[in-house]
Amino acid sequence: MDEEPKSAAELKEIRLKRKRAQEVEGIKAMAEIAAADIAIRKRTETLRALRLAKEAAERDNPPEPKVKPKAKARAAKRG
């Protein structure tokens, strides 16, 4: 490491470079967050459309109720 004391101008330059690097990283991070948000919204939209289509199909064609022959089975066992 460089143990020599740095001049005020050198320190200012180092701080300026660090600040610029942080700004660039911040912009990249915000872009990644925005891209992830867009992807989530698209997935949500697709899933919502599928769910609504399924619900509409179920409303139009309700499944037939299943009838279980419990009463007859019990009577046959007793007799």
Side-chain angles (χ1 to χ4, degrees), residues 47-60:
L47 291 172
R48 181 178 292 125
L50 290 172
R51 178 179 50 84
L52 293 175
K54 180 182 175 186
E55 289 174 356
E58 288 175 354
R59 262 194 320 270
D60 295 341

Side-chain angles (χ1 to χ4, degrees), residues 19-29:
K19 184 176 180 181
R20 286 181 184 162
Q22 288 174 343
E23 288 175 355
V24 169
E25 287 181 24
I27 291 170
K28 287 179 184 178

Side-chain angles (χ1 to χ4, degrees), residues 1-6 10:
M1 291 201 139
D2 191 14
E3 296 296 325
E4 296 178 24
K6 302 204 185 289
E10 290 173 329

Side-chain angles (χ1 to χ4, degrees), residues 33-58:
I33 291 170
D37 186 45
I38 290 170
I40 289 170
R41 289 177 189 269
K42 285 182 181 179
R43 268 196 311 259
T44 302
E45 182 181 337
T46 302
L47 291 172
R48 181 178 292 125
L50 290 172
R51 178 179 50 84
L52 293 175
K54 180 182 175 186
E55 289 174 356
E58 288 175 354

